[in-house]
Amino acid sequence: MKRKPGFKFLMISLCLVLMVSMFSGCSSDSTKQDAANQQTEQNQTSKEQDTADSPSAELTFKPGTYTGEAKGKEGALKLEVTFTEHEIADIKVVSQGETAGIGDAAIESLKEQILSGQTLAVDAVSGASQTSEGLIAAVEDAVSQAGGDVEALKNRAVKKENEGKVEQLEADVVVVGAGASGVSAAVSAADQGAKVILIEKTATIGGASNLSWAGKFYNSSASISDGLKVEVEKEIAEWIYNNHWRVDAAAIRQYVTQSGETYDWLAKKGYQTTFLNFAGEPLHVLPSYEDRQPLLRAMLHASVEQNGGQVITETTAKELITNESGAVTGVIAEQSDGTKLNIAAKTVVMATGGYAANKEMVKEAFGFEGVNGGLGQNIGEGLKMAWAAGAKVPDNFGGQMLHQTLARATDKLKEQYSAFEASYPLMLTYLPNFMNVGPSGARFRDEAATLEAVAAANTSAFNGPHHLVIVSQSQLDALTKKGMNGVHAPKLPGMPPEFYAAFQEQFKLDTPWTNAQQIFDKMVENGDGYKGNTIEELAKNAGMDVEVFSKAYNNYQAAIKNGVDTEFGKAKEYLEPMSGNGPYYAIIAEVNNLGSVGGLLVNTEFQVLNDQRVPVKGLYAVGLESEGVLFNDTYVGNGVGIGYSFTSGRLGGERAASEALTAK
Ligand SMILES: Cc1cc2nc3c(=O)[nH]c(=O)nc-3n(C[C@H](O)[C@H](O)[C@H](O)COP(=O)(O)OP(=O)(O)OC[C@H]3O[C@@H](n4cnc5c(N)ncnc54)[C@H](O)[C@@H]3O)c2cc1C
């Protein structure tokens, strides 16, 4: 076999997968064998558990209603749990601030599992692990108060209701993954007359679009009526040039010229976005967070379900079915109750959103993990299934959607201080007025890059998974007294709105940063930043090279003094003075990775290509997993993630339906 770039990665990952996963492998035969072996082992284990920890073993509680509390993803989660003498009778949520549509769906699903199984041996819901852990911990808290045995409840394994059950289903088109791209593909395929089955791993519809802000649809009717007409040929030429010609020019053209129609298509279906001329970029702000999921569900209902198709959630695709000639003819999936679905289909559309939550894969493909700011359930299963069915690993595989930076300190500080105070270190990672250095201590950019999300993240990533923001005592004093005005911040930190939703009132340039010293000392005490009385001491404490950092610091001081940054050309107004006296602090700023980009090479019909760049019959891909055709390495864009997901889904679904219906 001729080896190609990417082959090594493919073989390593596939073999690793063979070792650790029950559903993937180096060949489809070994996959099946492996899966069969592991399935037997699993069945044995659950049988053993059934006898060892019988669900009927008696539980005892002090009857009554108890308030259980724990930390969720977005602060405290408070429950009222009612016990009878031998039963957890009811769980009521008193207060929670979890992500609309994701966290609350997880809470409902877990409540149901705990009550019906009378167990705490429940799995965290994919995509909402922190919320799940919070809910389980809050129930544990109440169980303890009611004198119940938490450990016994945690070990009380309950066999999945339908383990061993197999169902056969049939569709023209199966779509795997219900993010923006999968929903669009399912809807547009159904609109062509295809019977569609959409399967989704979680209880949530909409995937990462539920967390997003806006999408780019070029020259949409809304954009034109607002007076913004993008020069298409110029846009395409610059896009190709900026990505060093290592892109699929036809795919870019297709997105730029056809995304406008997607805006109208969505609006007609009730998913109304709001046009925003964002400094010349045609962005379209998504509906309110609460409305998005219901709107997508309504689209699916009107097109997929009304036409005989199905939307099956809490169901994970495990393997693609292929025939003797290598064509993809269906999907094997597993429902949360243990039922195995064998779904026969004429075409399959992969829309599983990539692998950003799979640390090992990101490290192997990209060089480091960063922080996964995307969906926790996107672990590359869809890509592995498609590769096992003959799809090519693209030559530019490894691209990520690096967006903004995060301060490692935020989470722990949120447990100890108000959301505003806890976000002090985070806010400074978005201001151009502070010295930024890489892990070695060398300065690495014009810090004005922090004003733009993609530039901020990519300049940092080029220097490693994190960088350090240096803050002097005089700067801290100025922040304490006069807020961000004290350090001449040019504008509010450009963080996504959800980052400051909890302190909107205080998020102003002139709000004094009370307690700043205490917060920064706590950050250091928590191990999420460093402090030194001198520059040398800071370098030592932060693990930087003393000589490298001292030199960078001295050069930066000279730039401040002279008003000229000869190294990086930072504008004079951002060369904010730093006191010569310590202490100094270093904030650990990490790269936020919103998703992986690419993994399946597609043509403009969204057919997945094999190693010979010929379509794998019956297999399509849309959304992030097909997005490597637009970018040379990593994502460069504003709104392209959403714009392309909806557009590729709309077009890819249409084409998958057309092939399926011709094959009828
Ligand atoms: C916090 C955040 C903010 C963002 N903000 C913006 C923005 O403002 N503008 C913009 O353009 N882009 C933004 N993006 C990126 C954008 O959201 C994504 O590019 C886009 O939503 C991806 O859509 P998708 O359908 O390809 O994948 P996803 O939305 O990831 O959907 C994939 C779906 O597949 C499911 N799945 C995974 N594995 C399986 C399996 N084995 N079986 C069945 N189902 C499976 C997942 O549960 C998920 O629902 C943001 C992303 C994040 C994380």
Side-chain angles (χ1 to χ4, degrees):
M1 190 194 288
K2 195 174 149 229
R3 301 205 162 188
K4 306 216 168 124
F7 178 83
K8 183 171 153 240
F9 179 86
L10 172 63
M11 290 313 287
I12 293 170
S13 359
L14 288 185
C15 289
L16 262 176
V17 166
L18 179 66
M19 285 188 285
V20 298
S21 159
M22 62 190 256
F23 291 104
S24 308
C26 290
S27 73
S28 87
D29 280 354
S30 60
T31 303
K32 282 173 197 143
Q33 191 51 54
D34 198 38
N37 291 344
Q38 298 227 21
Q39 188 63 60
T40 314
E41 274 169 35
Q42 254 207 352
N43 288 344
Q44 262 166 6
T45 317
S46 52
K47 267 185 209 138
E48 280 159 19
Q49 280 170 340
D50 278 349
T51 37
D53 307 300
S54 165
S56 58
E58 196 153 27
L59 304 166
T60 48
F61 305 102
K62 284 181 264 166
T65 298
Y66 300 83
T67 305
E69 255 185 282
K71 186 180 168 290
K73 184 169 187 289
E74 305 292 345
L77 224 159
K78 206 169 179 184
L79 310 173
E80 273 177 6
V81 188
T82 303
F83 299 88
T84 62
E85 201 178 343
H86 296 298
E87 207 185 31
I88 309 174
D90 193 19
I91 301 172
K92 273 204 179 72
V93 178
V94 179
S95 62
Q96 58 105 350
E98 304 305 285
T99 317
I102 296 182
D104 45 11
I107 289 173
E108 282 313 306
S109 164
L110 285 173
K111 263 172 57 181
E112 166 65 29
Q113 289 176 51
I114 293 171
L115 291 173
S116 63
Q118 292 294 304
T119 177
L120 285 174
V122 289
D123 292 332
V125 173
S126 291
S129 50
Q130 279 171 275
T131 303
S132 305
E133 282 158 19
L135 181 105
I136 297 166
V139 178
E140 279 176 30
D141 182 24
V143 167
S144 301
Q145 295 174 49
D149 184 341
V150 171
E151 280 316 301
L153 275 163
K154 278 163 109 174
N155 288 321
R156 210 174 137 85
V158 175
K159 193 180 172 205
K160 282 187 180 170
E161 206 183 326
N162 284 334
E163 217 163 272
K165 184 175 161 197
V166 180
E167 267 182 36
Q168 310 290 339
L169 299 175
E170 217 179 287
D172 294 319
V173 180
V174 172
V175 179
V176 186
S181 67
V183 169
S184 306
V187 167
S188 79
D191 287 350
Q192 298 296 304
K195 179 184 170 192
V196 176
I197 292 180
L198 170 63
I199 54 175
E200 163 57 42
K201 187 173 181 175
T202 66
T204 303
I205 297 291
S209 71
N210 292 326
L211 308 171
S212 302
W213 172 56
K216 191 181 269 180
F217 303 114
Y218 288 95
N219 295 339
S220 67
S221 54
S223 176
I224 300 294
S225 41
D226 199 74
L228 178 63
K229 186 166 193 310
V230 172
E231 239 186 90
V232 165
E233 292 307 324
K234 184 165 169 275
E235 180 75 14
I236 295 171
E238 281 176 3
W239 189 321
I240 296 168
Y241 176 86
N242 288 334
N243 282 280
H244 313 149
W245 299 273
R246 287 170 54 84
V247 280
D248 182 339
I252 293 170
R253 178 169 295 274
Q254 175 165 258
Y255 168 54
V256 173
T257 56
Q258 301 206 29
S259 51
E261 275 172 44
T262 307
Y263 163 82
D264 287 320
W265 181 78
L266 284 170
K268 214 161 106 200
K269 293 190 171 293
Y271 193 92
Q272 183 66 60
T273 58
T274 308
F275 175 72
L276 174 71
N277 183 339
F278 191 71
E281 297 196 65
L283 293 193
H284 298 70
V285 180
L286 301 185
S288 74
Y289 287 112
E290 298 72 39
D291 288 346
R292 287 177 201 179
Q293 216 187 136
L295 289 172
L296 292 178
R297 283 185 191 271
M299 280 167 63
L300 288 169
H301 182 66
S303 294
V304 174
E305 290 166 336
Q306 297 275 44
N307 288 309
Q310 276 175 274
V311 177
I312 312 178
T313 56
E314 294 188 81
T315 297
T316 303
K318 297 289 188 181
E319 190 182 342
L320 292 175
I321 306 167
T322 51
N323 66 14
E324 328 67 60
S325 62
V328 171
T329 56
V331 179
I332 297 174
E334 191 184 297
Q335 299 196 269
S336 57
D337 66 3
T339 308
K340 184 175 165 191
L341 302 181
N342 284 339
I343 316 175
K346 310 239 168 29
T347 57
V348 172
V349 183
M350 300 307 294
T352 44
Y355 58 94
N358 185 329
K359 268 181 178 265
E360 291 73 32
M361 263 182 101
V362 176
K363 190 166 174 59
E364 171 77 26
F366 185 62
F368 71 85
E369 302 95 333
V371 173
N372 175 35
L375 302 179
Q377 71 269 28
N378 286 355
I379 54 173
E381 292 158 310
L383 295 181
K384 288 173 187 168
M385 276 179 257
W387 294 337
K392 175 180 170 60
V393 180
D395 296 340
N396 65 344
F397 180 63
Q400 308 296 320
M401 187 180 280
L402 306 179
H403 237 257
Q404 289 125 354
T405 45
L406 305 166
R408 194 180 287 176
T410 318
D411 279 355
K412 270 189 234 148
L413 289 177
K414 269 191 183 165
E415 289 171 25
Q416 298 156 326
Y417 296 94
S418 72
F420 179 55
E421 291 170 314
S423 303
Y424 291 166
L426 175 69
M427 289 190 270
L428 295 195
T429 71
Y430 286 82
L431 294 184
N433 314 48
F434 293 83
M435 180 190 188
N436 293 176
V437 297
S440 70
R443 193 165 158 240
F444 63 95
R445 63 179 173 192
D446 169 355
E447 288 84 354
T450 57
L451 295 168
E452 210 264 287
V454 174
N458 280 284
T459 48
S460 174
F462 188 63
N463 284 275
H466 74 269
H467 67 267
L468 300 166
V469 177
I470 310 300
V471 187
S472 75
Q473 183 64 45
S474 65
Q475 291 171 325
L476 207 53
D477 293 340
L479 286 160
T480 308
K481 254 194 223 142
K482 296 186 179 166
M484 288 179 268
N485 274 345
V487 291
H488 307 106
K491 62 181 189 92
L492 283 170
M495 311 186 294
E498 63 271 22
F499 283 26
Y500 54 86
F503 53 88
Q504 197 98 36
E505 280 297 297
Q506 292 145 299
F507 191 51
K508 300 202 172 87
L509 288 174
D510 59 0
T511 311
W513 282 20
T514 44
N515 283 334
Q517 185 92 42
Q518 202 189 47
I519 306 286
F520 276 73
D521 282 333
K522 193 52 117 182
M523 166 185 86
V524 176
E525 197 186 309
N526 288 342
D528 295 328
Y530 307 100
K531 182 178 183 178
N533 286 320
T534 62
I535 283 302
E536 290 74 21
E537 195 177 286
L538 179 68
K540 268 192 215 134
N541 292 345
M544 297 186 269
D545 183 279
V546 175
E547 209 175 308
V548 170
F549 181 58
S550 302
K551 189 171 164 208
Y553 180 80
N554 291 335
N555 285 345
Y556 191 67
Q557 293 312 304
I560 293 171
K561 189 163 161 245
N562 302 328
V564 183
D565 174 12
T566 54
E567 279 181 297
F568 294 97
K570 179 154 87 166
K572 190 174 170 191
E573 65 263 34
Y574 301 150
L575 290 164
E576 180 67 20
M578 299 170 77
S579 58
N581 301 320
Y584 302 89
Y585 293 86
I587 299 166
I588 303 173
E590 296 174 302
V591 177
N592 192 21
N593 187 7
L594 297 185
S596 59
V597 178
L600 299 175
L601 187 64
V602 294
N603 59 17
T604 47
E605 303 284 302
F606 299 95
Q607 290 172 299
V608 173
L609 305 182
N610 68 14
D611 276 352
Q612 286 69 46
R613 294 172 188 264
V614 171
V616 176
K617 211 165 164 353
L619 188 60
Y620 290 74
V622 293
L624 272 174
E625 291 175 334
S626 70
E627 205 170 308
V629 290
L630 301 186
F631 301 110
N632 170 29
D633 47 19
T634 56
Y635 177 88
V636 193
N638 230 343
V640 176
I642 285 294
Y644 177 77
S645 281
F646 279 117
T647 302
S648 61
R650 175 175 73 83
L651 299 174
E654 226 171 76
R655 307 214 170 122
S658 155
E659 182 185 333
L661 296 172
T662 320
K664 252 186 170 176

